[in-house]
Amino acid sequence: MVEAPADISTKNGSGRPVPMEWTRNIGIAAHIDAGKTTTTERILYYTGVVHKIGEVHDGNAVTDFMEQERERGITITSAAISCKWTGRSGPFESIDHQINIIDTPGHVDFTAEVERSLRVLDGAVAVFCAVAGVQPQSETVWRQADKYHVPRIAFINKMDRVGANFLGAIEDMRSKLGANAHPLFLNIGSEDHFSGLIDLVGLKAFKFDESDKLGVSVIDCEIPGDMQPEVDAMRESLIEAVADFDDALAEKYLNGEEIAEYELVLAIRKATLSREFVGVIPGSAFKNKGVQNLLDAVVNYLPSPLDMPPVQGRDSNGQSVSMEPDDDGKATALAFKLWSDPFVGKLVFIRVYSGTIKKGDMLMNPRTGKSERVSRLLIMKADSREDVDVVRSGDICAAIGIKNVHTGDTLSVKILDIALEPPSFPDPVISMSIEPATSADQEKLSIGLGRLAEEDPTFVVKTDEETGQTIISGMGELHLEIIRDRLFREFKVEAQSGKPQIAYRETITTPAEGEGKFIRQSGGRGQYGHAVIKLEPKETGEGAEVLNEIVGGVIPREFIKPTEDGIREASNNGTVAGYPVVDWKARIVDGSFHDVDSSEMAFKMAGIFAFKEAMKNAGPILLEPIMKVEVTTPEEFQGDIIGDLNRRRGHIQNMESKGDLATITASVPLETMFGYATDVRSLSKGRASYSMEPSRFEQVPPSVLSRLTESASN
């Protein structure tokens, strides 16, 4: 057994149903269709949360509870659910653990759901397909987990599929993700012959009881003789890998001493928590094979809240502050997701980092400076929920009663001065106009769009000042299609949308100077503002910056900020085609003022004029979003698909074959990818699939630029 920490009483407080060191907050994340939701369904069955296994293809998966998810067979919103698992092996054997799981989407259009989930999770299970290996969205999720320093283990799913290759998938993880990945189990057979697992840690083998279709029973067996050399080599490699993280184990290994199972488990745990090692388990969630071993690995190797470093935040003076997980500490939580529930109203999903929150407590939001009362606390079980009176450090739950809150807000007791680091989200890449079918629905449309934008940080609503149209922006065609569908089903608004628009950007290529003057005389007091700026390009992704380099008071201090505001406002509409300008630095270097006529408004206009003039002389260019596209197709259609990608201004970057399937990776402008789902099905007789994610911005070719500038002028 694992010894409880000596300070368990100060960390866990009293009345806690499950000690914090036996709590796991994990996410299930991977590429679309790798089997995340199916894996989660099996976990819920084996842990007793459900008594009948749901299937994605039947539309009855517990965590895919939205109608749109069940119709499309994909996960759209991350679902939180709690369950309990009793460890079956290693130092945590016979200990009841609470596992809080978030099943995240795999489609790139809903990447914000993954982003905010990983921000509040302690560990993650990365699911990979045994046939396809590491796919594009797998890489994106992996980078997101790296960003938030999340330890993880891997589950190689679909070992029953034709072409399954467990060691090949691990090699894919090493080459494409740079992961120090090592198997914790070896598969006995694969494809139709996938019949059991060999535990490399405990050196034992078992076969799946084929008469037990639910996979609850397994049959202990001897390690197959023909696999013994491979087992010995793999275990040796595993011990070598984790010895780098455990000096005591390394010493025993070098001295040729026998290493006990519990010693190896604790060494793997230490290596996993360092985020420099990834243990890998093979299985088939759909065939109910290997999921229980995955659950054992979750409790044995993934961190508890106590294993994570203190969460970081800032006080009102911008100074760094850290909070340790402690039930007796000051209550601190992060609101990571909002959801409109038709029965109870706004649900605020929170992760409690410190202290205890009770029903009826007042929590302050540092962003607004106001306190609000928590009227109810709920432990979520996907679309069902359980009322509780109290939640403690390390818990993930939903709160009702907190109205004025945004994703990423901190909620804490009033005496505490801290704002936790919020999750960051990518900018939208696609826009379209939207309007109600009837004028009577205008108000309902506004309410619906407002609520959906509140829930989803990557969904943006704005009004075009010139046309008066409502413009919605999101991460892709599917994202906006789901928004329209939710407007109809949840808010009873039939909405019509215009043609999707691309989120182009503008930037500059050379330094330039610009002068702006705003002088008006109309009898009596006039207006006078005068500013000179120097505009310079910055590296891609560095953002915008305005520096004040005024000396001698040629522009008084009170007019500097209005000038900066004018410069930033002007950058929202570039001079090429009216799109936002990115990656520039403006230095305010000179100007003049009038004792009587100068005003904040005049200097703001001067800033606008100065930026516009400087940009015209700074070699402005238009940038378009480029997508990374991966198409998997039977080899017979490879030539047609490559030709089609070339016609779309695509650049083929890589081609590889796995069995009779070819995988084509290309960079393609987003502008040419509308309707691609239909075209790729047509080209391949419905047998090809593709995925697409934002990659970078590149300069628009002259032929496209002339078309865009012509439409902008019209």
Side-chain angles (χ1 to χ4, degrees):
M1 295 285 184
V2 167
E3 292 294 325
D7 60 346
I8 183 173
S9 59
T10 60
K11 294 288 186 183
N12 282 316
S14 60
R16 188 181 183 98
V18 178
M20 230 187 303
E21 61 270 34
W22 299 336
T23 299
R24 302 287 182 268
N25 292 315
I26 68 164
I28 312 284
H31 185 88
I32 189 169
D33 203 31
K36 297 176 303 302
T37 301
T38 303
T39 303
T40 307
E41 288 298 314
R42 275 29 178 202
I43 289 174
L44 299 182
Y45 176 75
Y46 293 128
T47 56
V49 174
V50 298
H51 302 290
K52 180 179 180 297
I53 293 177
E55 301 290 2
V56 174
H57 56 266
D58 290 338
N60 58 4
V62 175
T63 52
D64 282 353
F65 55 86
M66 291 174 63
E67 289 180 41
Q68 294 91 337
E69 293 177 314
R70 292 182 166 175
E71 289 171 358
R72 291 170 172 80
I74 62 171
T75 301
I76 292 170
T77 183
S78 51
I81 197 157
S82 295
C83 59
K84 286 185 168 57
W85 180 251
T86 304
R88 304 182 308 161
S89 63
F92 293 98
E93 187 175 350
S94 302
I95 295 176
D96 291 334
H97 288 73
Q98 175 166 319
I99 305 176
N100 301 318
I101 303 172
I102 297 183
D103 174 33
T104 62
H107 199 289
V108 68
D109 282 20
F110 311 107
T111 189
E113 293 289 329
V114 185
E115 191 85 29
R116 57 177 160 200
S117 298
L118 287 172
R119 168 62 182 84
V120 298
L121 293 171
D122 300 325
V125 176
V127 181
F128 299 94
C129 173
V131 180
V134 175
Q135 297 166 279
Q137 190 63 13
S138 312
E139 295 183 55
T140 304
V141 170
W142 199 265
R143 288 195 301 269
Q144 288 172 309
D146 283 339
K147 181 166 91 173
Y148 293 112
H149 311 298
V150 178
R152 67 216 81 145
I153 57 177
F155 183 61
I156 306 297
N157 192 26
K158 304 188 180 182
M159 284 298 301
D160 59 307
R161 289 266 300 272
V162 175
N165 186 340
F166 177 55
L167 297 181
I170 291 178
E171 196 52 48
D172 228 15
M173 290 175 63
R174 291 171 179 167
S175 61
K176 292 183 179 178
L177 304 176
N180 182 17
H182 291 268
L184 303 177
F185 293 82
L186 274 183
N187 54 295
I188 301 175
S190 62
E191 302 180 353
D192 289 343
H193 304 293
F194 177 45
S195 59
L197 294 176
I198 300 170
D199 182 354
L200 294 176
V201 178
L203 277 182
K204 51 198 173 195
F206 57 87
K207 292 203 170 185
F208 304 113
D209 185 351
E210 296 297 339
S211 65
D212 178 6
K213 298 302 182 186
L214 296 176
V216 177
S217 305
V218 294
I219 303 167
D220 293 334
C221 66
E222 295 293 321
I223 295 174
D226 60 338
M227 292 188 69
Q228 191 66 56
E230 184 182 14
V231 169
D232 293 340
M234 287 292 178
R235 191 172 198 267
E236 187 93 354
S237 175
L238 175 63
I239 293 171
E240 280 183 10
V242 298
D244 293 338
F245 304 92
D246 191 309
D247 293 340
L249 185 99
E251 188 175 340
K252 291 188 78 169
Y253 172 64
L254 293 172
N255 292 333
E257 298 177 37
E258 188 68 30
I259 294 171
E261 179 182 351
Y262 80 91
E263 292 176 308
L264 186 50
V265 169
L266 292 178
I268 294 171
R269 179 176 180 79
K270 190 180 291 186
T272 304
L273 298 187
S274 75
R275 304 191 311 278
E276 300 294 330
F277 173 90
V278 181
V280 190
I281 302 111
S284 169
F286 182 58
K287 294 292 180 66
N288 310 313
K289 296 177 178 180
V291 177
Q292 290 153 299
N293 306 94
L294 174 64
L295 279 164
D296 288 337
V298 166
V299 300
N300 283 341
Y301 307 126
L302 288 182
S304 75
L306 292 173
D307 294 315
M308 301 302 288
V311 64
Q312 300 297 312
R314 296 196 176 277
D315 61 20
S316 53
N317 296 319
Q319 298 298 312
S320 181
V321 183
S322 63
M323 298 291 296
E324 291 199 3
D326 185 349
D327 285 355
D328 295 327
K330 295 182 176 67
T332 312
L334 183 76
F336 68 94
K337 177 181 170 72
L338 308 181
W339 187 255
S340 294
D341 187 283
F343 303 107
V344 297
K346 184 191 288 185
L347 290 174
V348 181
F349 287 77
I350 61 173
R351 159 72 191 265
V352 185
Y353 280 101
S354 180
T356 299
I357 298 175
K358 298 177 182 175
K359 188 167 66 173
D361 280 357
M362 297 292 289
L363 295 178
M364 192 190 80
N365 184 340
R367 181 181 59 81
T368 63
K370 295 179 180 178
S371 294
E372 295 189 73
R373 187 179 303 280
V374 179
S375 59
R376 286 173 68 188
L377 290 168
L378 307 170
I379 297 296
M380 301 304 294
K381 299 199 172 174
D383 59 341
S384 63
R385 53 192 73 85
E386 174 191 340
D387 275 274
V388 293
D389 293 329
V390 59
V391 289
R392 299 172 176 86
S393 183
D395 285 345
I396 291 176
C397 67
I400 298 175
I402 304 170
K403 304 297 183 190
N404 190 7
V405 63
H406 292 167
T407 299
D409 280 353
T410 301
L411 300 170
S412 64
V413 291
K414 194 165 187 177
I415 58 172
L416 190 63
D417 179 16
I418 184 173
L420 301 177
E421 187 71 28
S424 57
F425 299 104
D427 292 330
V429 296
I430 184 172
S431 302
M432 64 171 62
S433 62
I434 190 166
E435 58 185 35
T438 65
S439 56
D441 283 341
Q442 183 64 54
E443 186 176 347
K444 284 199 291 185
L445 176 68
S446 299
I447 292 171
L449 290 175
R451 287 199 190 159
L452 294 174
E454 190 178 58
E455 288 176 13
D456 185 350
T458 58
F459 174 60
V460 178
V461 183
K462 63 180 181 181
T463 302
D464 188 308
E465 294 181 3
E466 292 184 3
T467 64
Q469 285 182 306
T470 300
I471 306 296
I472 58 174
S473 306
M475 299 304 297
E477 285 183 281
L478 179 60
H479 188 193
L480 297 184
E481 180 189 324
I482 296 295
I483 292 289
R484 286 182 55 203
D485 198 34
R486 288 188 63 192
L487 281 171
F488 176 68
R489 298 195 192 201
E490 296 174 31
F491 300 96
K492 306 295 183 276
V493 178
E494 186 77 63
Q496 299 171 338
S497 58
K499 185 183 175 185
Q501 301 294 315
I502 310 296
Y504 291 98
R505 297 287 185 268
E506 297 183 23
T507 193
I508 56 173
T509 56
T510 59
E513 189 173 290
E515 182 177 20
K517 287 185 177 180
F518 184 74
I519 302 172
R520 296 285 186 275
Q521 292 295 336
S522 56
R525 181 173 176 174
Q527 296 284 353
Y528 186 95
H530 174 214
V532 178
I533 69 168
K534 290 185 176 178
L535 196 59
E536 303 166 12
K538 293 177 75 174
E539 292 296 320
T540 301
E542 286 190 355
E545 184 181 11
V546 182
L547 300 177
N548 172 26
E549 297 185 359
I550 292 296
V551 293
V554 293
I555 298 179
R557 183 179 299 174
E558 64 266 28
F559 297 138
I560 295 296
K561 187 176 184 307
T563 308
E564 293 178 353
D565 292 343
I567 292 169
R568 291 190 181 277
E569 185 175 311
S571 72
N572 292 329
N573 301 96
T575 58
V576 181
Y579 291 99
V581 189
V582 296
D583 302 326
W584 51 269
K585 177 165 69 176
R587 295 183 288 123
I588 307 173
V589 295
D590 200 4
S592 61
F593 72 103
H594 189 281
D595 287 332
V596 177
D597 291 350
S598 286
S599 66
E600 291 186 0
M601 191 273 283
F603 272 94
K604 181 177 181 179
M605 296 303 297
I608 291 173
F609 295 155
F611 183 90
K612 294 288 189 188
E613 181 181 295
M615 188 177 173
K616 287 177 183 175
N617 302 321
I621 57 173
L622 188 67
L623 305 173
E624 65 178 341
I626 304 296
M627 311 302 285
K628 179 182 178 183
V629 179
E630 184 172 284
V631 185
T632 302
T633 175
E635 286 190 330
E636 60 192 280
F637 305 113
Q638 184 175 347
D640 291 339
I641 285 174
I642 290 174
D644 181 65
L645 289 172
N646 286 330
R647 282 191 293 275
R648 296 172 188 270
R649 298 195 284 122
H651 296 285
I652 307 301
Q653 295 177 316
N654 188 41
M655 289 183 287
E656 60 181 54
S657 296
K658 290 184 181 179
D660 61 349
L661 291 178
T663 301
I664 305 158
T665 306
S667 292
V668 192
L670 175 60
E671 186 231 2
T672 67
M673 289 299 292
F674 293 124
Y676 186 63
T678 303
D679 293 343
V680 78
R681 280 197 293 266
S682 173
L683 287 169
S684 64
K685 299 180 181 176
R687 295 172 62 193
S689 62
Y690 83 101
S691 62
M692 181 171 72
E693 63 179 83
S695 173
R696 62 191 182 279
F697 280 87
E698 280 186 1
Q699 185 172 354
V700 171
S703 58
V704 179
L705 177 62
S706 60
R707 172 165 52 81
L708 289 170
T709 50
E710 184 179 327
S711 62
S713 61
N714 293 337

